[in-house]
Amino acid sequence: MALLALVALAIRVNNAFFYPLHFGFDAPANWEYIERLLTSWKLPAPDAGWSTAHPPFFYYLSASLGRAMGGSGVQAITVAVRLLSSIVGMAGVGCAVAWVWRIDRENGPRIVMAAALLLFMPAHIYMSAMLGEEILSGALISAVLYGVAVDLTREPEQRFSLLATAGLGVLAGLAFLTKLTGLLVVAAAGFAYLVDALRRRDLSHVIPKVLVFALVAGVIGGWPYVLNRVEYGYFYPQNLMVHELMFTMPPGERGLMDYLTFPLATFFEPNVLAPDLLHSVWGTTYTTLWFDGHRVILPRIDLYVSNFGSWLLVLGLLPTLAFIVGCGRGLRRAVHEPGGPDTLFLTIIALTVAGYVLFTWQNPWYATLKASYMVGIAVPFAAYSTEVLCSWMRSARLAQVAVAIPLIVLLSGSALVFTVNLVFEKREGPGFFWPKVDPSRHYELATKAAAEAQDRKQAAQESE
């Protein structure tokens, strides 16, 4: 565990220093928001910039760190925020590992596996390097899930006091104040508490806890949304004119089949602008979980990158399938004993997936398809995937090899590929270009350019 943590920390420290300045999802706009707060604490209008519509906690926290650093420049503050995000993200992973340890503390391999799956998951590594709120939001949600899950496993007389419950409400409120998805953990926790109370027929003691938890979370996290409603007429700003550039992105519309297809291009053309992926929500999302389908940290045009991506995505099927099977097992337990941790975990998973479907339906552009939006389900992912993987490994000696080797290759490969400047060096800007270019033509040109570059390299080697 110590070795895993040290390697994961070393990767994140390296990436914090060497990932190009303000690369990543919305990073330039996020810096503009932070820069505003470095000179004035006044909350900007939602349409004052690309990112000013976001909830403000991450930006105020980053600006506070920047102010504490005195006259430090843009580079130093950005690196400091990246390092802070990395540490907070690893703490969130710690919550998931702590839960696995709590429910199966004698199973050392499972505990180590839970840590490895999250610490070396590509999405977690590359999001930690970016100037954004995703990792902070996920860590806060993970802390709340861990706390509520622990509380649900205790006998009624040993449950958290109202003060401790209010503390969980603070964390949930900060998650809500960081990203709208933080509201989901408030709903999931409240629902799990109520179901547990109905099963125990103990509503009189649980309802005050739920009210305290929800009220504290709402007061801490809800004020920007109320302010938006009072001043601008909406709770959550969406599709503002400042975001009109997104309206030109492909595909521009979503249909039912977009949520029912998972094409082979997911593995063989891991590129969010690949024609077959533009109309596959889950295929595109999957390429951003176990790879970098958006090419925000890896080179855009490189055949070796695509080949590595194909291997990582194929290997990633193992823990992903284990997670799905684990959800089924959790559902059986939740039906048998409603109101326990499985009710909590399955509720947050269901709400997260439903919220993601709604968001991508209302925002039908390839840039909105990111696995990082679901980082809040890290605790149930670690619990369910490792439960199934370990059960498969116990079935036979051959099964141990069949599970362990692909996992080791997957996570080792991820660590190598997503350590900035170790295997690949990103020289061009982040992401892909889409304006004025048909997506199918863009991918054709990108593939052709990569092949030509490879031919030139091979010719040069032969000449030498």
Side-chain angles (χ1 to χ4, degrees):
M1 287 293 293
L3 180 61
L4 286 177
L6 285 173
V7 172
L9 180 61
I11 291 172
R12 286 160 174 77
V13 170
N14 173 84
N15 292 357
F17 280 95
F18 295 109
Y19 185 50
L21 184 68
H22 298 166
F23 273 28
F25 302 129
D26 297 337
N30 291 345
W31 171 253
E32 289 178 5
Y33 193 169
I34 295 168
E35 195 172 34
R36 282 173 176 264
L37 298 178
L38 289 174
T39 56
S40 171
W41 287 122
K42 183 180 179 180
L43 187 68
D47 60 355
W50 184 278
S51 296
T52 52
H54 297 169
F57 181 55
F58 167 77
Y59 301 95
Y60 276 110
L61 182 64
S62 300
S64 298
L65 180 60
R67 291 193 179 202
M69 294 173 65
S72 300
V74 178
Q75 178 81 31
I77 295 174
T78 300
V79 170
V81 174
R82 289 173 175 176
L83 290 172
L84 177 61
S85 293
S86 297
I87 294 171
V88 170
M90 291 184 67
V93 172
C95 293
V97 175
W99 175 252
V100 174
W101 174 82
R102 185 178 183 87
I103 60 176
D104 198 3
R105 65 184 64 193
E106 299 301 322
N107 192 341
R110 182 182 177 186
I111 299 167
V112 173
M113 190 186 298
L117 281 172
L118 294 178
L119 288 174
F120 300 107
M121 178 182 287
H124 202 284
I125 295 176
Y126 69 69
M127 289 306 302
S128 297
M130 295 182 191
L131 191 70
E133 73 277 15
E134 303 284 359
I135 290 294
L136 174 61
S137 171
L140 289 167
I141 292 173
S142 294
V144 176
L145 289 175
Y146 174 76
V148 174
V150 168
D151 199 26
L152 290 171
T153 60
R154 294 182 169 183
E155 295 300 322
E157 62 275 8
Q158 297 177 324
R159 293 285 178 93
F160 290 160
S161 65
L162 288 180
L163 183 61
T165 303
L168 288 175
V170 170
L171 292 176
L174 291 176
F176 188 21
L177 193 61
T178 303
K179 200 168 180 65
L180 181 61
T181 49
L183 182 60
L184 302 181
V185 76
V186 180
F191 178 75
Y193 273 130
L194 289 175
V195 171
D196 179 67
L198 288 172
R199 181 175 65 85
R200 295 176 181 273
R201 297 177 181 175
D202 190 24
L203 284 172
S204 61
H205 289 91
V206 174
I207 286 180
K209 289 188 66 169
V210 173
L211 291 176
V212 167
F213 174 78
L215 181 62
V216 171
V219 169
I220 290 179
W223 63 266
Y225 305 92
V226 175
L227 185 63
N228 285 341
R229 184 70 179 86
V230 172
E231 294 196 7
Y232 307 107
Y234 46 72
F235 283 108
Y236 187 77
Q238 182 171 289
N239 296 341
L240 302 175
M241 289 309 297
V242 71
H243 301 139
E244 62 181 347
L245 181 65
M246 290 188 68
F247 308 156
T248 67
M249 291 181 178
E253 60 182 1
R254 290 282 176 215
L256 178 61
M257 291 305 298
D258 289 20
Y259 296 88
L260 300 178
T261 57
F262 200 91
L264 288 176
T266 302
F267 306 100
F268 301 114
E269 298 178 3
N271 171 333
V272 292
L273 286 180
D276 289 344
L277 284 176
L278 273 177
H279 284 284
S280 173
V281 170
W282 300 115
T284 302
T285 303
Y286 185 77
T287 68
T288 68
L289 176 65
W290 295 109
F291 186 53
D292 178 16
H294 285 281
R295 301 298 197 277
V296 289
I297 198 168
L298 297 175
R300 292 178 190 147
I301 303 173
D302 189 316
L303 289 179
Y304 288 119
V305 169
S306 294
N307 290 337
F308 268 107
S310 295
W311 279 105
L312 291 176
L313 290 165
V314 170
L315 293 169
L317 286 172
L318 180 62
T320 304
L321 179 61
F323 171 61
I324 295 172
V325 174
C327 288
R329 295 184 180 184
L331 180 60
R332 288 197 298 270
R333 288 193 296 265
V335 171
H336 179 70
E337 187 178 352
D342 287 301
T343 299
L344 172 68
F345 292 161
L346 292 171
T347 302
I348 190 67
I349 291 170
L351 291 176
T352 299
V353 171
Y356 187 69
V357 169
L358 178 62
F359 175 71
T360 54
W361 182 274
Q362 294 180 336
N363 299 272
W365 307 296
Y366 80 90
T368 62
L369 299 179
K370 302 169 187 171
S372 59
Y373 287 153
M374 294 186 279
V375 71
I377 62 172
V379 174
F381 175 82
Y384 289 146
S385 62
T386 58
E387 174 190 356
V388 174
L389 289 169
C390 286
S391 69
W392 287 346
M393 292 178 71
R394 286 194 297 267
S395 61
R397 175 71 65 178
L398 182 60
Q400 292 182 5
V401 176
V403 171
I405 291 181
L407 284 179
I408 292 171
V409 174
L410 168 66
L411 300 177
S412 300
S414 173
L416 291 172
V417 171
F418 291 96
T419 299
V420 172
N421 294 342
L422 181 60
V423 177
F424 297 107
E425 182 176 354
K426 188 162 184 64
R427 296 177 180 175
E428 79 284 354
F432 288 105
F433 294 119
W434 77 93
K436 300 179 182 179
V437 179
D438 178 78
S440 60
R441 180 63 177 161
H442 175 99
Y443 188 74
E444 175 189 337
L445 293 173
T447 304
K448 181 180 178 181
E452 290 175 349
Q454 180 64 22
D455 289 342
R456 289 194 298 270
K457 181 177 180 181
Q458 185 174 352
Q461 291 175 344
E462 291 176 353
S463 176
E464 291 176 0

